[in-house]
Amino acid sequence: MDPEEIVEEREMSRSKRNRVQGQATAEEENIDVPVRTRSKRNRVQGQATAEEENIDVPMYTPRHMMQLEQGKNAEMQRVRDEVQQYVAQKDQEVAASLVELEALRGHVTAQQGEVGRISNENRILKQGVRIQQQAAERCRAEVDERLGQERATFMQVGAQAAEHIRQLETQNYALRVQLEQMAPASVTSEGMPRWGEGF
């Protein structure tokens, strides 16, 4: 039932009760007229009062106020539930993000450890390569030095051999000359050659 109809019904009941008691007043004579009709009629007649100006404002009974309050509370509860569900969902998302973040941190830590290990191995390998290069350079220097010494020795021995050969050739030539000088001038009767011809 509309609140205005409730108000009209109460006004009509009160006017009837006053009539029964013989206490109807001029104002109560018009009370059976619906409030809206009275207010409109008074406006048309130019007799609207301040109360009649506000008569069209809806009036609510305690039951209507309770219903409105219950509706408002239900709406607020629904909004609270939605907010709580949204917050719970966001909490779950944040928790999942935190778990994923922790997993990423663990992965990054493992990768950092792996990178450290590889860097250490790389440093050791570089040091080994450097040591090998130094050893190869030392060996190359030693080989070059040994080859130089052997070349010098070979050249010296060759020079000595050439000098010895030259001396031997000189001695051979001198001996040949001496033999030719000491040999007889002609071949003997047996047909033997002269000294030095058979050489």
Side-chain angles (χ1 to χ4, degrees), residues 49-63:
T49 62
E51 291 181 358
E52 291 172 347
E53 289 295 330
N54 295 326
I55 199 75
D56 291 333
V57 177
M59 297 179 63
Y60 297 102
T61 62
R63 184 170 61 84

Side-chain angles (χ1 to χ4, degrees), residues 11 21 44 58 62-63 94 99 112 114 118 128-129 133-134 144-146 150 160 175 188 193 195:
E11 292 292 335
Q21 296 175 358
V44 172
R63 184 170 61 84
V94 169
V99 171
Q112 287 178 348
E114 186 69 16
I118 293 174
V129 170
Q133 288 178 349
Q134 292 175 355
D144 291 342
E145 184 180 359
R146 188 176 300 169
E150 291 179 356
Q160 291 176 358
L175 289 172
T188 59
W195 292 99

Side-chain angles (χ1 to χ4, degrees), residues 19-20 34-36 42 51 65 75-76 89 102 110 114 120 126-127 141 161 165 175-176 183-184 192-193:
R19 282 197 202 100
V20 170
V35 177
R36 291 185 185 176
N42 290 334
E51 291 181 358
M65 293 298 293
E75 182 68 18
M76 290 178 64
Q89 181 181 359
E102 289 298 326
E114 186 69 16
N120 190 24
K126 285 182 179 179
Q127 185 176 0
I165 290 170
L175 289 172
R176 184 179 297 172
M192 295 295 292

